[in-house]
Amino acid sequence: MSRPTPLRGVHETLGATLTDFAGWLMPLRYGSESTEHNAVRQAAGLFDLSHMGEIFVTGPQAGEALDYALVGHLSVLEPGRARYTMIVAPSGGVLDDLIVYRLADEEFMVVANASNYPRVAAELTERAKAFDAAVEDRSEQYALVAVQGPHSRAILGKLTDADLDGLKYYAGLPATVAGREALLARTGYTGEDGFELFVAAGDAEPLWAALTEAGEPYGLVPAGLSARDTLRLEAGMPLYGNELSADLTPFDAGLGRVVRFDKPGDFVGRAALEPLKDVPPSRRLVGLVATGRRVPRHGYPVVSADGAVVGEVTSGAPSQSLGRPIAMAYVDDGLSTGLAVDIRGSREPVDVVELPFYRRKK
Amino acid sequence: MSSIPDDLHYTKEHEWISGIDDGLTLTVGITAYAAEALGDVVYVQVPEVGTAVSPGDAVGEVESTKSVSDIFAPVGGEIVEVNQAVVDDPSLVNSDSYGEGWLFRVRLEGDADDLLSAEEYTALTSGES
């Protein structure tokens, strides 16, 4: 049985198509996923992301513990700011990609993917043992609601006195939103401006209702995981299990910049990753745009003009913004022309493009 | 829930067939139930006119944002017409599954005994949902 989020009743009332995702019963879409996708690009969308994990690391050495446990340099993060980072195995393989918020000098919140957070919590607990820091998985206590899209700033502004204009991208602060205590962060996974609100599970429903009402004049619609996936794909953002896995290092994924060798001390994965930092990976994560209308999907082979398999698709979907199917794929380094994707036995030509596929206008 | 018209026949693969009672040329589409399960249809591949098909042959595909499904020939015969409008605008499968969203017409050869009635298809889909 899939676990419901605190907003299950709301999704059912809205007539959502529910699906199992990483053991959670999540809204896949409420109506048309294309409409939801376009609403986020042009107006705003409301997401339930309560399946994500929230792990708190607290104490005098919380920052140092995270510097050792993760590839990033978290102890230098200013309170109120956030970082995209990763946790790797000693071998350098990616165990999860994370956003870490520094809430106070001695308090960090690590946000992990639904499929991984029990493992991340266990690893953090183990890795923090030598430090004066405590690790606590509070995922059960939190709901996460996101408002994403160009009108999200205006919608939030009706419900909080918090200084939204002072809240930069990748920053978060405690705020009162619609009368509820929330950790309000300017982060997202859609390629648009937007906010994520971490609230007590019991506050999720009233917050959702308030956001729905405040967003109505702005064209806010509830949006499901299907739209979330096509939005992040257009924005070129990796998804754990697709572009990231324990078999790949951050360098393999083209995300070596998150590994901070310049921080002091050892960290889990340093010895394995250090020799790799100047070695170009044999395959590179690229964007593909299909010439035809069939969609390259996860696991499909990328083939060269002579029919050799030179790569594999990690994610693919029809793109609303481009009007053509798009995909991300690992492709042998240096190949960029004459490629095709083997779509169920037929070779469909693709163009190789730089990521992201979509970048919002500032 | 999506409607299941009384005057059509159905398959377990969620296709509808009309014309059984009138003559030999049958029209085939996918049901509203299937269209709803697929989500927004973005690509439809239909068979070529003149193709000879046997019951159960994969003759095309319907692709949505999230998934792709084969289209099967519900009966044996020859493909005599395909719906170019649905190829050009696959969203017709979602917006008018039993009308403008039809996929192809087949001239029946042999029998069509294995098709489901509306009542049987209703029972099938209520068991799945």
Side-chain angles (χ1 to χ4, degrees):
Chain A
M1 272 303 284
S2 311
R3 288 165 64 183
T5 77
L7 288 163
R8 177 194 187 155
V10 171
H11 304 320
E12 287 179 343
T13 303
L14 289 167
T17 300
L18 298 171
T19 189
D20 178 90
F21 181 82
W24 291 82
L25 190 65
M26 298 299 294
L28 182 63
R29 52 192 150 78
Y30 298 85
S32 154
E33 65 269 25
S34 312
T35 303
E36 293 166 19
H37 176 112
N38 292 330
V40 174
R41 287 277 178 258
Q42 289 148 23
L46 183 57
F47 296 85
D48 176 14
L49 307 175
S50 300
H51 59 317
M52 302 291 282
E54 293 86 11
I55 302 158
F56 282 72
V57 182
T58 54
Q61 287 190 304
E64 288 73 15
L66 288 172
D67 284 349
Y68 172 70
L70 309 179
V71 298
H73 197 183
L74 289 313
S75 62
V76 296
L77 200 57
E78 296 285 329
R81 298 308 304 265
R83 271 286 180 285
Y84 178 76
T85 185
M86 293 183 186
I87 182 168
V88 301
S91 66
V94 179
L95 299 180
D96 202 6
D97 62 337
L98 309 165
I99 295 179
V100 177
Y101 298 84
R102 188 171 207 165
L103 306 179
D105 279 338
E106 297 189 3
E107 184 179 29
F108 293 80
M109 179 175 72
V110 177
V111 177
N113 283 299
S115 52
N116 294 327
Y117 76 76
R119 167 125 196 234
V120 173
E123 287 287 346
L124 287 178
T125 303
E126 184 62 33
R127 295 177 188 190
K129 269 185 178 164
F131 298 87
D132 187 1
V135 177
E136 190 189 354
D137 181 356
R138 296 188 199 159
S139 305
E140 299 272 337
Q141 299 161 41
Y142 276 89
L144 173 55
V145 171
V147 184
Q148 300 279 302
H151 292 163
S152 51
R153 157 77 185 78
I155 294 164
L156 253 294
K158 290 168 71 176
L159 297 176
T160 182
D161 295 331
D163 177 16
L164 297 178
D165 293 326
L167 187 66
K168 294 178 195 147
Y169 189 52
Y170 267 80
L173 52 79
T176 304
V177 181
R180 312 275 160 171
E181 295 303 308
L183 174 70
L184 177 60
R186 202 156 200 161
T187 43
Y189 195 50
T190 60
E192 298 299 331
D193 186 20
F195 298 85
E196 295 183 310
L197 296 95
F198 299 85
V199 296
D203 286 339
E205 271 207 41
L207 180 67
W208 182 280
L211 287 165
T212 300
E213 191 184 338
E216 203 270 328
Y218 295 94
L220 175 96
V221 300
L225 291 187
S226 184
R228 179 171 159 87
D229 191 46
T230 51
L231 289 158
R232 70 92 195 167
L233 176 58
E234 285 187 349
M237 294 172 163
L239 172 64
Y240 195 88
N242 290 36
E243 286 72 36
L244 300 173
S245 78
D247 297 328
L248 297 170
T249 70
F251 294 99
D252 291 327
L255 292 165
R257 63 184 157 75
V258 306
V259 185
R260 296 293 302 274
F261 294 113
D262 57 341
K263 65 181 172 180
D266 193 20
F267 64 90
V268 179
R270 183 192 274 274
L273 291 173
E274 200 129 39
L276 300 178
K277 67 179 176 186
D278 299 317
V279 183
S282 56
R283 284 190 169 179
R284 206 165 65 87
L285 189 65
V286 298
L288 304 178
V289 178
T291 312
R293 290 166 70 186
R294 303 176 86 201
V295 183
R297 295 186 187 273
H298 180 72
Y300 288 6
V302 179
V303 294
S304 64
D306 60 7
V309 174
V310 295
E312 185 174 315
V313 173
T314 51
S315 298
S319 166
Q320 294 296 316
S321 301
L322 277 70
R324 292 164 70 187
I326 58 172
M328 288 199 271
Y330 282 107
V331 173
D332 289 352
D333 193 31
L335 296 180
S336 59
T337 56
L339 298 181
V341 174
D342 182 341
I343 298 184
R344 299 181 294 284
S346 97
R347 288 164 41 90
E348 302 284 340
V350 291
D351 295 325
V352 175
V353 301
E354 287 300 313
L355 295 170
F357 300 97
Y358 168 87
R359 208 186 288 272
R360 74 183 155 103
K361 296 174 190 76
K362 300 272 174 175
Chain B
M1 265 324 286
S2 51
S3 65
I4 296 173
D6 286 340
D7 55 343
L8 302 177
H9 285 73
Y10 300 88
T11 69
K12 290 193 176 81
E13 284 78 32
H14 304 287
E15 289 166 354
W16 58 261
I17 301 95
S18 75
I20 289 286
D21 304 323
D22 310 331
L24 292 176
T25 299
L26 312 181
T27 303
V28 179
I30 71 163
T31 65
Y33 176 88
E36 208 166 283
L38 281 169
D40 293 338
V41 174
V42 296
Y43 172 75
V44 174
Q45 186 187 52
V46 292
E48 283 185 34
V49 170
T51 309
V53 298
S54 302
D57 283 359
V59 296
E61 56 188 31
V62 177
E63 184 146 22
S64 68
T65 307
K66 277 301 204 191
S67 65
V68 58
S69 308
D70 284 323
I71 302 168
F72 299 98
V75 297
E78 184 187 337
I79 305 297
V80 293
E81 191 179 350
V82 297
N83 184 5
Q84 188 58 41
V86 85
V87 174
D88 296 339
D89 180 8
S91 71
L92 291 172
V93 172
N94 297 106
S95 60
D96 193 6
S97 310
Y98 300 112
E100 296 293 311
W102 67 276
L103 300 176
F104 60 89
R105 297 202 164 106
V106 55
R107 192 169 62 231
L108 178 66
E109 286 163 21
D111 58 44
D113 295 344
D114 292 337
L115 301 179
L116 307 176
S117 67
E119 197 178 335
E120 289 165 328
Y121 184 66
T122 303
L124 178 79
T125 54
S126 57
E128 284 185 16
S129 58

